[in-house]
């Protein structure tokens, strides 16, 4: 059972960055910035053409995003191992949420459109990138529930594969927080065919050797710039394990709360298994 006070525990202590760490941060961060912002420029130019040729669909820009994210992880020297089922072609995707790194990790596996809380659109750096890459922003307000449902269903009708984090916030990466069910309403009860498939993904970050197990976790009031710098400066990175679960046919699920419960159980099972992995793969 998740402790309700886990996020009040002391954050991982930051190690002082020495000259070698600053050097690593520079030689990883500079090409990373060129890749991300160069990719963003290519994305925006290509999206302009897509709006004329393919209108709401994104046949080319989605591949730009995958390319940028895969190579960003290579520049960070953070390897990702994928286990389990194949990605679904249409519908929804849910995952546990540990870090800003989730954006790169999950987009490196398959083209996705993220669903995010509206506050993110105002964050420096991340918010700008999110707005530019067709992120769906939603208000956390029960009075907006029907509006949110309509927006998500409209995006699903376009063929967008939507990913959201049902925990509603990021954690330290060592646990899965309870799923909130409100966004699952968009997948229930309208006979929408392919988009009624939804796939759960479990993500576990393994810290660098001798580092705090929560090294990659980013939560609470932790600063983005500091966390990014610590990640860039690490002498040796850890690794990421990702488990894709078998997709659920939403037609078989009676309501959004039952759907959230089923997917949460899948994510918890995979997360627990991946926490036990060693460098040779699944135990």
């Amino acid at each position: 059972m998740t402790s309700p006070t886990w996020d009040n525990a002391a954050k991982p202590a930051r190690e002082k960055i020495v000259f070698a760490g600053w050097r690593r941060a520079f030689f990883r961060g500079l090409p990373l910035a060129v890749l991300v912002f160069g990719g963003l420029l290519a994305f925006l130019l290509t999206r302009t053409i897509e709006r004329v040729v393919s209108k709401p669909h994104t046949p080319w820009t989605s591949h730009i995003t995958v390319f940028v994210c895969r190579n960003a992880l290579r520049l960070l020297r953070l390897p990702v191992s994928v286990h389990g089922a194949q990605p679904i072609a249409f519908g929804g995707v849910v995952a546990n949420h540990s870090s800003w790194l989730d954006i790169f990790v999950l987009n490196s596996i398959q083209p996705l459109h993220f669903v995010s809380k509206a506050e993110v659109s105002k964050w420096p750096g991340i918010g700008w990138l999110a707005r530019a890459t067709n992120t769906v922003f939603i208000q956390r307000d029960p009075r907006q529930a029907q509006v949110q449902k309509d927006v998500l269903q409209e995006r699903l009708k376009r063929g967008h594969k939507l990913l959201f984090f049902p925990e509603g916030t990021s954690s330290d990466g060592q646990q899965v927080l309870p799923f909130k069910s409100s966004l699952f309403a968009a997948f229930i009860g309208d006979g929408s065919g392919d988009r009624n498939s939804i796939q759960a993904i479990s993500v576990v970050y393994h810290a660098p050797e001798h580092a705090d197990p929560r090294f990659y976790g980013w939560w609470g009031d932790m600063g983005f710039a500091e966390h990014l710098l610590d990640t860039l400066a690490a002498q040796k990175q850890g690794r990421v394990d990702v488990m894709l679960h078998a997709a659920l046919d939403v037609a078989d699920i009676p309501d959004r709360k039952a759907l959230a419960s089923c997917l949460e159980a899948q994510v918890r099972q995979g997360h627990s298994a991946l926490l036990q992995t060693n460098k040779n793969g699944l135990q």
Side-chain angles (χ1 to χ4, degrees):
M1 189 75 177
T2 301
S3 168
T5 59
W6 71 271
D7 55 343
N8 294 325
K11 303 293 191 294
R14 293 189 68 210
E15 293 187 9
K16 182 179 179 180
I17 300 176
V18 298
F19 176 78
W22 285 105
R23 185 176 182 272
R24 284 189 293 270
F26 177 80
F27 283 106
R28 291 173 181 171
L30 181 60
L32 180 64
V34 171
L35 172 68
V36 170
F37 289 103
L40 177 60
L41 178 60
F43 181 100
L44 294 174
L45 292 173
T46 306
R47 185 66 192 127
T48 301
I49 300 172
E50 280 182 335
R51 288 192 178 98
V52 175
V53 176
S54 57
K55 294 184 179 179
H57 303 292
T58 57
W60 305 313
T61 50
S62 59
H63 295 291
I64 293 174
T65 303
V66 172
F67 172 85
V68 168
C69 290
R70 285 180 180 173
N71 285 283
L73 293 167
R74 291 189 179 106
L75 290 172
L76 286 171
R77 294 176 173 80
L78 184 62
V80 177
S81 298
V82 182
H83 315 276
Q86 293 295 312
I88 59 174
F90 303 99
V93 179
V94 298
N96 59 295
H97 189 21
S98 303
S99 174
W100 55 270
L101 284 163
D102 293 339
I103 297 170
F104 291 97
V105 170
L106 294 168
N107 259 325
S108 73
I109 298 169
Q110 57 185 319
L112 296 166
H113 293 268
F114 280 77
V115 179
S116 179
K117 57 186 179 182
E119 304 94 279
V120 172
S121 67
K122 300 177 182 178
W123 292 358
I126 292 179
W128 185 46
L129 289 170
R131 289 195 304 273
T133 53
N134 294 325
T135 296
V136 185
F137 294 108
I138 57 170
Q139 298 284 346
R140 287 183 172 179
D141 184 344
R143 294 171 297 181
Q144 298 292 317
Q146 185 59 49
V147 174
Q148 293 171 9
K149 179 177 179 179
D150 292 343
V151 169
L152 295 180
Q153 288 186 342
E154 192 274 331
R155 293 291 291 267
L156 288 164
K157 287 177 182 177
R158 294 188 195 180
H160 293 182
K161 188 161 33 174
L162 298 181
L163 181 139
F164 58 98
F165 300 110
E167 293 164 297
T169 187
S170 55
S171 76
D172 61 1
Q174 300 303 295
Q175 59 204 292
V176 176
L177 305 179
F179 278 18
K180 295 175 171 57
S181 65
S182 57
L183 294 183
F184 291 100
F187 297 88
I188 294 293
D190 65 349
S192 307
D194 285 339
R195 83 164 186 267
N196 276 358
S197 292
I198 188 164
Q199 183 172 43
I201 300 180
S202 303
V203 184
V204 168
Y205 293 86
H206 302 279
E209 190 174 3
H210 305 308
D212 189 300
R214 303 169 297 166
F215 179 81
Y216 291 112
W218 181 59
W219 76 95
D221 59 357
M222 296 173 70
F224 169 69
E226 291 180 348
H227 196 275
L228 172 62
L229 181 59
D230 289 342
T231 303
L232 291 170
Q235 180 176 4
K236 185 177 181 181
Q237 297 288 4
R239 72 187 199 283
V240 190
D241 274 312
V242 178
M243 181 177 290
L244 277 64
H245 300 277
L248 294 181
D249 184 349
V250 179
D252 298 332
I253 310 296
D255 55 51
R256 61 180 173 84
K257 291 186 177 180
L259 179 58
S261 179
C262 289
L263 291 163
E264 180 181 339
Q266 285 187 318
V267 171
R268 286 186 181 279
Q269 178 275 323
H271 188 271
S272 178
L274 292 176
L275 277 178
Q276 305 304 316
T277 62
N278 56 31
K279 293 182 179 179
N280 295 320
L282 290 173
Q283 293 181 333

